[in-house]
């Protein structure tokens, strides 16, 4: 017959849960910074592809479509990249400004502008309309800058 | 004959107009590149980089085919000459070289500055910003990650360039205040007091035309790549 766990064992388990729970939460919190950083890195990569193709004399339409698709997806997913508590904090490397959470309406408006312009970009690329992609590339770039100017700290 | 009589001297042109123009344009453009880079004026930053690229091509060409004092072969010396020069460095008198131009120690500074600027410009050609929006004219030849690495090195190497410039300026001030030798004025008007009979430096006109054409061609080729 199994012995019932003693008081000390129970205390130890309780203590472990108390200590570990915030650690797990912290792990998730740390993960969101990396997820967000990697996502923007991926977005920058796609943007470079668009730029490189658009300045070429014979743009690769398949590459344009794929990159525009990546930008469009990012513009949809970005709404999940800024959960509460993923802002600037001691020991954290992020260029996300506290204003993202202190001015949520302005931030949401900036996110929506990017989403709207990126959707148009995706449609132009899907239609293989290089001239429209070129035009919309500029509009998306402006939407990026619009948000970065207010909600991202400048590079050191 | 009276001992210690000052030797007759005359103002001789040791720096040709092109080398002086290149020098002061580099001063200006490094400043412009610094300001535009720090303030996100990337269009002007690219123009400034193109101009520096052209000046560097011209300077290197001039180092082989230009006037005598501009030629690398006339001023880049080995360790023995540098050591000999270092021994007389503490003397509080202006150094009167057998051949007018850069001294053996200053030659190292010239080479280091040219190498640092050339590397800096080369890195800029391939650099990509974090958003993939701003980029150097040759960045389409490399991946996003390589472009980002170039941008980071471009940023870090600038501190090295600043340190070299600080050393260069400190040396010139050492000559001005310690050795009473005004190298700045010489780099402005090109003349220096040398023993009478020394000749003005001569500008090979044909090489000048070829050098400018070459620099313009390289810049045009890269800017429109």
């Amino acid at each position: 017959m199994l012995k019932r766990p003693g008081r000390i064992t129970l205390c130890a388990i309780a203590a472990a849960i108390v200590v570990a729970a915030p650690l797990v939460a912290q792990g998730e919190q740390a993960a969101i910074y990396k997820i967000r950083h990697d996502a923007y890195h991926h977005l920058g990569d796609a943007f470079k592809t668009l730029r490189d193709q658009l300045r070429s004399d014979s743009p690769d339409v398949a590459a344009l479509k794929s990159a525009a698709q990546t930008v469009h997806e990012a513009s949809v997913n970005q709404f999940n990249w800024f959960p509460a508590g993923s802002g600037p904090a001691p020991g954290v490397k992020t260029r996300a400004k506290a204003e993202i959470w202190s001015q949520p309406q302005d931030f949401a408006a900036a996110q929506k502008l990017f989403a709207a312009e990126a959707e148009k970009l995706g449609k132009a690329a899907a239609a293989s309309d290089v001239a429209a992609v070129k035009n919309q590339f500029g509009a998306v770039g402006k939407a990026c800058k619009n948000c970065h100017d207010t909600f991202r700290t400048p590079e050191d | 004959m009276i001992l210690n009589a000052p030797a007759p001297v005359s103002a001789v042109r040791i720096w040709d107009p092109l080398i002086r123009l290149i020098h002061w344009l580099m001063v200006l453009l490094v400043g412009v590149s610094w300001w535009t880079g720090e303030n996100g004026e990337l269009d002007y930053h690219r123009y400034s980089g193109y101009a520096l690229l052209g000046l560097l091509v011209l300077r290197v060409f001039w180092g082989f085919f230009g006037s005598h004092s501009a030629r690398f072969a006339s001023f880049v010396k080995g360790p023995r000459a540098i050591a000999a020069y270092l021994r007389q460095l503490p003397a509080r008198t202006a150094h009167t070289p057998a051949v007018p131009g850069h001294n053996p120690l200053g030659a190292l500074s010239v080479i280091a500055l040219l190498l640092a600027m050339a590397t800096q410009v080369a890195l800029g050609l391939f650099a990509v910003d974090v958003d993939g929006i701003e980029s150097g004219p040759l960045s389409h030849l490399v991946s996003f990650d390589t472009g980002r690495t170039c941008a980071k090195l471009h940023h870090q190497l600038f501190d090295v360039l600043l340190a070299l410039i600080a050393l260069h300026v400190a040396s010139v001030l050492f000559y001005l205040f310690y050795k009473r030798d005004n190298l700045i004025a010489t780099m402005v008007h090109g003349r220096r007091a040398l023993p009478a009979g020394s000749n003005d430096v001569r500008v090979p006109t044909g090489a000048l035309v070829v050098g400018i054409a070459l620099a313009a061609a390289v810049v045009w080729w890269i800017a429109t790549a």
Side-chain angles (χ1 to χ4, degrees):
Chain A
M1 188 181 149
L2 276 168
K3 251 177 79 181
R4 288 179 58 194
R7 196 176 287 180
I8 292 171
T9 317
L10 283 173
C11 279
I13 292 167
I17 290 168
V18 169
V19 171
L23 282 180
V24 171
Q26 234 173 40
E28 277 171 14
Q29 218 54 48
I32 182 62
Y33 289 102
K34 182 167 165 42
I35 289 167
R36 185 164 71 207
H37 184 271
D38 290 351
Y40 275 112
H41 186 87
H42 194 48
L43 181 56
D45 194 352
F47 234 76
K48 179 182 183 294
T49 303
L50 287 172
R51 189 189 160 85
D52 289 351
Q53 292 306 326
L54 289 173
R55 47 174 281 178
S56 153
D57 294 331
S58 51
D60 177 346
V61 178
L64 277 181
K65 279 184 182 177
S66 161
Q69 177 71 15
T70 301
V71 173
H72 183 210
E73 280 167 11
S75 79
V76 173
N77 295 335
Q78 55 153 343
F79 292 101
N80 303 320
W81 292 345
F82 298 90
S86 66
V92 169
K93 217 181 129 199
T94 182
R95 289 173 67 196
K97 279 166 108 173
E99 280 79 353
I100 290 170
W101 296 274
S102 67
Q103 301 166 16
Q105 285 177 338
D106 291 347
F107 183 63
Q111 285 191 301
K112 280 176 194 155
L113 177 66
F114 171 40
E117 299 294 5
E119 191 177 3
K120 287 186 213 162
L121 179 79
K123 282 185 179 151
S128 303
D129 186 345
V130 175
V133 171
K134 196 165 203 162
N135 206 29
Q136 197 53 30
F137 176 78
V140 177
K142 280 199 188 109
C144 296
K145 185 170 160 28
N146 168 61
C147 192
H148 293 163
D149 283 352
T150 316
F151 297 107
R152 185 173 71 172
T153 51
E155 267 177 302
D156 55 340
Chain B
M1 186 184 166
I2 304 160
L3 287 174
N4 297 328
V9 293
S10 60
V12 176
R13 193 173 76 181
I14 65 163
W15 301 125
D16 69 60
L18 180 68
I19 210 82
R20 287 179 277 141
L21 186 67
I22 291 176
H23 176 270
W24 292 112
L25 281 177
M26 279 175 169
V27 174
L28 176 73
L29 289 167
V30 167
V32 168
S33 294
W34 188 3
W35 192 88
T36 53
E38 290 292 331
N39 290 283
E41 296 286 347
L42 275 305
D43 283 334
Y44 292 108
H45 189 76
R46 266 188 293 274
Y47 295 143
S48 181
Y50 292 154
L52 270 170
L53 172 67
L55 289 178
L56 285 163
V57 171
L58 185 54
R59 178 62 188 90
V60 171
F61 178 86
W62 209 236
F64 292 101
F65 305 102
S67 63
H68 187 267
S69 62
R71 292 191 184 199
F72 299 124
S74 79
F75 66 82
V76 178
K77 298 273 163 52
R80 192 182 297 251
I82 295 168
Y85 182 78
L86 274 173
R87 275 194 293 277
Q88 65 76 48
L89 196 59
R92 298 200 65 168
T93 52
H95 168 68
T96 315
V99 182
H102 296 296
N103 66 61
L105 190 61
L108 296 180
S109 177
V110 173
I111 299 302
L113 281 164
L114 287 177
L115 275 177
M117 280 192 288
T119 312
Q120 184 67 344
V121 167
L123 285 169
L125 297 179
F126 295 96
V128 179
D129 81 337
V130 70
D131 303 317
I133 296 176
E134 298 286 357
S135 54
L138 299 183
S139 61
H140 61 286
L141 301 174
V142 300
S143 72
F144 182 59
D145 286 334
T146 305
R148 288 301 297 142
T149 303
C150 289
K152 283 169 192 163
L153 292 172
H154 190 66
H155 196 72
Q156 287 165 357
L157 183 63
F158 187 68
D159 289 340
V160 175
L161 184 58
L162 277 185
L164 288 172
I165 291 169
L167 183 65
H168 174 66
V169 171
S171 308
V172 168
L173 293 178
F174 166 79
Y175 279 85
L176 181 63
F177 293 114
Y178 183 83
K179 290 176 85 77
R180 314 287 161 91
D181 191 358
N182 192 344
L183 304 181
I184 305 164
T186 302
M187 190 46 79
V188 172
H189 53 56
R191 289 183 304 276
R192 183 177 175 83
L194 287 178
S198 306
N199 292 324
D200 283 349
V201 78
R202 277 217 296 262
V203 176
T205 319
L208 180 64
V209 173
V210 174
I212 290 172
L214 178 72
V218 169
V219 171
W220 185 83
W221 178 66
I222 285 179
T224 59

